Amino acid sequence: MLGLAVVLSLGACAEDVCDAERMPTCDIRQEGCQQTVVDMVACLRGDTVTETPPVTVISPEELEARLRGGADPMMMETLQLEGALHQLGMLDADASLFEAAVADRVAGTRAFFSSTENAVYVVDRGEPADSVEVVGTLLHEMVHAVQHQEHDLFALAAEAETHEALLRARLAVEGEATFYQLEALAWSEGHRADEIDWDAYFDGWVARTQSELDEGGSPFFVVYRRFPYVLGARHAAGRWVVGGDEAVRALPATPPEASLAFLRDPWSGHPPLPRRLRTSPCDAPPPPPAGYDRALREEMGAPFLYAFLRAGRRLSHLEARSHADRWQRDELFVYGGPDGRVAVAWRIFTEDEDTARALEADVLERGFRAAAALGTVTLVATPPGEATGWSWDAPSPECALP
């Protein structure tokens, strides 16, 4: 882990910033400091920045009010998934998705960039406004501001029609910003990016994130709120090692075809990614159980599958990733029943039939009903005592991979 040594505050002029031996620090509440941080972004990314967004310091209470008022564009829009996440064991049994999301953001957010306002908000956590940590946090958000100028982050989020697409966008956007924040923290100790053993650094961070996945009761939030920073930054670092800053800057506009790519360690040899299925090979969704109507169709992505498989603790992290590594597409169908109850059918398309059979065995051991055939496994989950006769037998021939 990179240390966070305290450095001297410098009133650096723009032309001197890139030549500073250590990352300049200053009071982020001052406009001059905010411009210095923007200049540092240009130094690290290897480009120029023409616009400095306004910066406002707010309290955690003000952050919570914004979240509850819907002003924060990064607030999740997947509340209809709550029942499905409960059924799959990806959200604490007693947790409200909205309340859990607000609590997670209030506890963990140090700053955020609002693409709708083109403004940065820094949450006052009691740290000195000129500390390395706070300056590095503002730099992260200034990277988002530059990304917005280049790619329109609001449009990128609006184009994401599924959880998989939104996660892929977050992995790319947060990955770039976090990589440059880490590079800045290294700079604060007098190190440059090419002096960092990125492979070893991310080994430790990934291990800590795996522990968080195991210890928490809501794996969904680790996938949605932690993976974009850890796995996204690791992917960005891998791009930087091969293609430099130009390759990292292009990440939000040219992310990998599937979020599966972010699960892979960029420094280890891997077979080619499985061919991404852009459309479903199946003509029809699983039929709803009696008394239920279809409410939602989603795609969750390989990182979600990995977290789901690990949540049962039957598989090691390596085994769960190995199964997820053969993901080609998935379809989550949510059916609404009486009193807000839901039933779930989740169809996962894999690279080969052996993987589907292994997934089926693991899912059955978890207590779900499942069937596998032709490289596809489908599991169903219902409330206790509900729709006990509902099943989705082995997928029909039209589900065969083309």
Side-chain angles (χ1 to χ4, degrees):
M1 183 72 178
L2 296 174
L4 298 176
V6 177
V7 300
L8 296 175
S9 297
L10 302 175
C13 298
E15 61 269 20
D16 298 329
V17 170
C18 294
D19 295 329
E21 182 178 346
R22 294 175 182 265
M23 180 186 80
T25 61
C26 49
D27 187 333
I28 59 97
R29 296 169 297 187
Q30 305 301 318
E31 289 187 9
C33 178
Q34 295 161 16
Q35 181 59 53
T36 296
V37 174
V38 170
D39 292 338
M40 288 192 286
V41 170
C43 296
L44 296 172
R45 293 179 86 240
D47 63 356
T48 58
V49 180
T50 59
E51 184 178 348
T52 302
V55 178
T56 303
V57 178
I58 62 174
S59 68
E61 292 75 19
E62 289 173 311
L63 170 62
E64 181 172 354
R66 288 180 60 87
L67 293 172
R68 293 191 179 281
D72 179 8
M74 296 306 289
M75 172 59 73
M76 291 186 303
E77 299 177 356
T78 55
L79 302 183
Q80 67 270 37
L81 284 176
E82 180 177 305
L85 296 175
H86 283 308
Q87 294 290 348
L88 296 174
M90 294 293 284
L91 184 67
D92 264 335
D94 298 327
S96 154
L97 183 56
F98 177 76
E99 292 298 332
V102 169
D104 184 79
R105 292 296 305 276
V106 171
T109 299
R110 297 167 63 97
F112 63 92
F113 171 73
S114 170
S115 59
T116 56
E117 301 171 82
N118 192 33
V120 173
Y121 292 85
V122 178
V123 182
D124 185 355
R125 300 288 183 183
E127 299 171 297
D130 61 352
S131 68
V132 168
E133 295 91 334
V134 171
V135 173
T137 297
L138 179 58
L139 184 142
H140 177 114
E141 302 308 327
M142 288 300 189
V143 174
H144 286 324
V146 178
Q147 290 171 334
H148 184 54
Q149 294 171 29
E150 297 174 348
H151 310 297
D152 189 345
L153 297 185
F154 185 82
L156 287 180
E159 291 169 1
E161 297 180 349
T162 66
H163 179 87
E164 151 68 9
L166 183 58
L167 181 60
R168 186 171 70 249
R170 281 180 54 78
L171 283 156
V173 169
E174 296 295 351
E176 180 194 355
T178 304
F179 171 73
Y180 285 117
Q181 182 180 6
L182 295 175
E183 187 178 348
L185 295 179
W187 184 14
S188 76
E189 294 190 322
H191 302 299
R192 300 291 176 166
D194 56 5
E195 300 172 348
I196 305 301
D197 184 347
W198 293 111
D199 189 2
Y201 175 83
F202 282 104
D203 277 349
W205 199 7
V206 169
R208 289 189 293 277
T209 306
Q210 290 174 340
S211 296
E212 186 176 2
L213 186 65
D214 290 344
E215 295 165 3
S218 296
F220 176 74
F221 285 112
V222 179
V223 174
Y224 189 88
R225 291 280 299 146
R226 308 296 184 266
F227 282 9
Y229 300 91
V230 183
L231 303 186
R234 183 177 67 174
H235 182 88
R239 280 197 172 203
W240 184 86
V241 169
V242 174
D245 293 310
E246 183 178 356
V248 179
R249 293 196 305 268
L251 182 55
T254 58
E257 187 178 33
S259 61
L260 167 59
F262 292 91
L263 277 178
R264 293 185 166 188
D265 179 343
W267 295 280
S268 300
H270 294 283
L273 286 168
R275 178 170 55 89
R276 167 87 163 94
L277 298 179
R278 294 185 177 276
T279 59
S280 174
C282 301
D283 292 337
Y292 284 68
D293 296 313
R294 199 176 94 188
L296 176 69
R297 180 175 184 167
E298 257 282 9
E299 183 178 23
M300 305 307 292
F304 184 93
L305 174 60
Y306 154 63
F308 167 78
L309 292 172
R310 176 57 189 165
R313 302 295 187 276
R314 289 190 62 257
L315 302 180
S316 68
H317 285 284
L318 182 60
E319 291 168 330
R321 285 200 308 273
S322 179
H323 284 336
D325 206 38
R326 291 166 175 79
W327 174 97
Q328 292 188 294
R329 182 185 176 86
D330 71 83
E331 296 173 327
L332 183 76
F333 299 92
V334 182
Y335 303 87
D339 302 323
R341 288 169 289 187
V342 302
V344 178
W346 190 18
R347 194 158 52 194
I348 302 158
F349 303 97
T350 72
E351 192 176 27
D352 54 68
E353 187 163 357
D354 288 344
T355 299
R357 292 295 182 189
L359 281 173
E360 177 191 30
D362 294 325
V363 168
L364 289 171
E365 286 286 341
R366 293 272 303 280
F368 297 97
R369 297 196 298 281
L374 304 171
T376 305
V377 60
T378 301
L379 68 89
V380 296
T382 62
E386 285 283 315
T388 53
W390 183 47
S391 65
W392 177 239
D393 295 331
S396 54
E398 65 266 22
C399 284
L401 298 182

